[in-house]
Amino acid sequence: MFTVANWFSQGGLATTADIVDVGVPATQNLTGYSIRLVRISLVAVPPAVRLLSVIAYPPGPGVGVMVGNLLKDCPQDKPYPLTDDVTAPHAVGQWKVVLAIRFARPGTYALERVKIFYTADGHSGWQYQDLSTTMTIKLAPKGAKSQLTGCLP
């Protein structure tokens, strides 16, 4: 249904106290139907990786990797349910889809793919999408809180 974005890689540094916001790359709808996103899940990640939320933000510049709790710390960035993300036939997705992730233990984590669940022409389906994200996580000092590197552009 969508092109697979395999032309990029992204990543960064964070701590076990941080919430890491990872943007899902925009994709091209290859069908003659509108596609509505229903759910997105991480694929093949260890138990130390916890997906906190999947949120859609209005069209604008893409999101790579940011540290901070966008939902809490950036009230000016109005969040929408993922199901508001609809891509018109043969169009490129305009919404910014952001995964909020917490890492429970230090280490290097490769977040290679997500599974996108959608509806199109009254039918449900899913497909994989490359995420190509590598995060290096360090142990946070006791009592540390998630830092904010910035709100959405």
Side-chain angles (χ1 to χ4, degrees):
M1 292 292 184
F2 290 111
T3 57
V4 175
N6 56 9
W7 42 264
F8 76 103
S9 65
Q10 60 188 5
L13 302 171
T15 72
T16 52
D18 292 322
I19 293 174
V20 178
D21 300 302
V22 178
V24 176
T27 53
Q28 172 83 35
N29 178 350
L30 299 174
T31 75
Y33 305 105
S34 291
I35 299 176
R36 178 179 303 277
L37 297 186
V38 175
R39 181 169 60 96
I40 295 179
S41 61
L42 293 169
V43 176
V45 294
V49 178
R50 182 168 169 233
L51 182 60
L52 303 175
S53 66
V54 180
I55 301 294
Y57 290 93
V63 175
V65 175
M66 300 169 64
V67 174
N69 186 345
L70 291 178
L71 286 174
K72 178 183 167 208
D73 298 329
C74 299
Q76 70 276 15
D77 297 330
K78 185 170 182 197
Y80 290 84
L82 182 65
T83 53
D84 281 5
D85 185 338
V86 177
T87 304
H90 306 290
V92 174
Q94 297 298 307
W95 288 76
K96 296 177 283 209
V97 176
V98 178
L99 311 175
I101 302 169
R102 187 177 298 272
F103 298 86
R105 290 192 306 269
T108 299
Y109 295 90
L111 310 175
E112 295 297 334
R113 296 194 299 178
V114 292
K115 191 173 185 178
I116 300 174
F117 297 85
Y118 60 83
T119 59
D121 191 32
H123 301 283
S124 297
W126 65 270
Q127 80 168 63
Y128 291 118
Q129 177 57 271
D130 287 352
L131 197 56
S132 301
T133 302
T134 302
M135 293 301 303
T136 300
I137 306 299
K138 300 204 179 288
L139 183 63
K142 191 170 182 95
K145 301 217 184 293
S146 183
Q147 299 300 305
L148 177 66
T149 57
C151 295
L152 296 178

